[in-house]
Amino acid sequence: MKALLFAALVFSTVACTDKKDDESLREGLTDGGTYYVYWDSIPASIPFNEPFKLSAMVHDGEDHSQMYMDRELFVDATMPGHGHGMETTPEVTNNEGTYTVEGMLFHMAGEWELVFAVSDGTNVEKATFNIDCCES
């Protein structure tokens, strides 16, 4: 019985931590280390060739409990393997530090690079996420 319980625990731990698809890494540090970006998609699973939204928050790179409410956020996505981006231009709205990104659309299945560019008005840092998206 203990062996079975241990095996179930190990399997569930591996299944949760070993996930590498678009549902996993939805937070990360910007390239300069100043900011930590949290994001999620609406709906939770990014759809193929259908509009979707993103929700994002920008926190301090060291103290993740400190949320920035006054940064500019720009969002874009490209397919580096194909040399192009989306056919839409996302619009970002800041609602007291919770950013809503509308106009996202992954029109092709494959690997996308989702980029969040954070600006304080002088400097820009980027957080980049690789997304293997969608069944066509």
Side-chain angles (χ1 to χ4, degrees), residues 34-51:
T34 304
Y35 306 108
Y36 198 82
V37 176
Y38 294 92
W39 68 277
D40 205 356
S41 62
I42 305 164
S45 292
I46 295 173
F48 171 68
N49 205 22
E50 292 181 27

Side-chain angles (χ1 to χ4, degrees), residues 41-71:
S41 62
I42 305 164
S45 292
I46 295 173
F48 171 68
N49 205 22
E50 292 181 27
F52 64 96
K53 296 179 187 180
L54 300 175
S55 178
M57 293 182 293
V58 177
H59 288 244
D60 185 78
E62 291 182 14
D63 179 3
H64 298 183
S65 68
Q66 180 183 341
M67 184 170 90
Y68 289 105
M69 301 174 76
D70 60 350
R71 299 302 187 255

Side-chain angles (χ1 to χ4, degrees), residues 32-119:
T34 304
Y35 306 108
Y36 198 82
V37 176
Y38 294 92
W39 68 277
D40 205 356
S41 62
I42 305 164
S45 292
I46 295 173
F48 171 68
N49 205 22
E50 292 181 27
F52 64 96
K53 296 179 187 180
L54 300 175
S55 178
M57 293 182 293
V58 177
H59 288 244
D60 185 78
E62 291 182 14
D63 179 3
H64 298 183
S65 68
Q66 180 183 341
M67 184 170 90
Y68 289 105
M69 301 174 76
D70 60 350
R71 299 302 187 255
E72 284 188 90
L73 184 69
F74 305 92
V75 179
D76 200 6
T78 61
M79 293 189 89
H82 293 263
H84 65 77
M86 296 187 300
E87 296 176 339
T88 60
T89 303
E91 292 187 27
V92 180
T93 305
N94 181 358
N95 185 18
E96 298 182 12
T98 300
Y99 299 84
T100 301
V101 184
E102 296 188 71
M104 300 294 298
L105 183 112
F106 289 174
H107 63 279
M108 291 180 66
E111 180 143 341
W112 287 84
E113 239 180 40
L114 180 60
V115 178
F116 293 84
V118 183
S119 174

